[in-house]
Amino acid sequence: MTAETSETSPLMAALMLFCRERAIAAAQARKELEVNELDAKAILYIATHAGARPSELAGHLRVTSAGVTTMVERLVRRGILRREADEADRRVSHIHLAVSLDEEPWSQLTRFHDAFRAVVSQLDSEVERELAVFLTHATLTARDEIDRSATGATSAA
């Protein structure tokens, strides 16, 4: 067992440490920026999907269209997001960041990710590829198992 967790697997302990430290960094950033978890997820999504439609954001966040409308409006009023009308269809809007995640204070949202990426970039490319293949396989297998269990539990009820 590791001192940090009750895990006997060094890999599981390392993954739990990563998740915990990422969550701590995210919570600190949200507190400093005065945004909630869903707001932060929306900001990060729009950072990589500039011009997304509200329906795309709602689908990504798994919230209702009314919920995403309320959230976007709140973030627009705070000057964090901005809406642009679609030139071809004025009924459609596209969401963009009005802040830069490369600059303080907003860079706090990506600070842990950026620091971790820098460490990963130092790995041998073959080691990185093998780790990526393994972690992707393990993650998707676990997700599929949970989905099967949920489906089985639902159909048995």
Side-chain angles (χ1 to χ4, degrees):
M1 277 196 263
T2 67
E4 294 290 323
T5 71
S6 60
E7 283 293 334
T8 55
S9 163
L11 178 57
M12 287 303 296
L15 288 170
M16 290 179 71
L17 175 63
F18 168 82
C19 290
R20 186 180 71 240
E21 293 302 319
R22 185 180 66 174
I24 290 168
Q28 288 172 336
R30 291 191 308 267
K31 182 179 178 183
E32 181 70 27
L33 297 169
E34 298 178 349
V35 296
N36 63 41
E37 185 175 1
L38 196 61
D39 291 350
K41 287 179 180 181
I43 292 165
L44 292 169
Y45 181 80
I46 296 303
T48 57
H49 298 85
R53 294 173 63 160
S55 59
E56 295 169 45
L57 181 58
H60 173 73
L61 298 174
R62 296 182 180 189
V63 297
T64 65
S65 59
V68 88
T69 298
T70 300
M71 179 189 57
V72 168
E73 180 58 32
R74 181 176 65 253
L75 295 175
V76 165
R77 280 195 313 269
R78 286 194 56 199
I80 298 167
L81 297 179
R82 64 183 166 77
R83 274 192 233 90
E84 288 184 8
D86 187 291
E87 293 183 15
D89 185 349
R90 302 297 284 173
R91 297 171 296 174
V92 175
S93 66
H94 299 277
I95 307 167
H96 298 271
L97 282 181
V99 297
S100 172
L101 297 187
D102 293 331
E103 298 174 9
E104 285 292 332
W106 298 99
S107 62
Q108 294 178 58
L109 285 174
T110 59
R111 187 171 290 143
F112 182 84
H113 178 81
D114 294 343
F116 197 84
R117 176 185 285 156
V119 173
V120 168
S121 72
Q122 297 173 20
L123 283 174
D124 174 86
S125 61
E126 186 61 23
V127 170
E128 180 182 3
R129 188 191 68 71
E130 289 175 6
L131 280 169
V133 168
F134 171 75
L135 287 173
T136 300
H137 172 75
T139 301
L140 295 177
T141 300
R143 182 198 63 196
D144 292 348
E145 180 61 31
I146 291 169
D147 289 348
R148 275 193 297 280
S149 295
T151 303
T154 303
S155 61

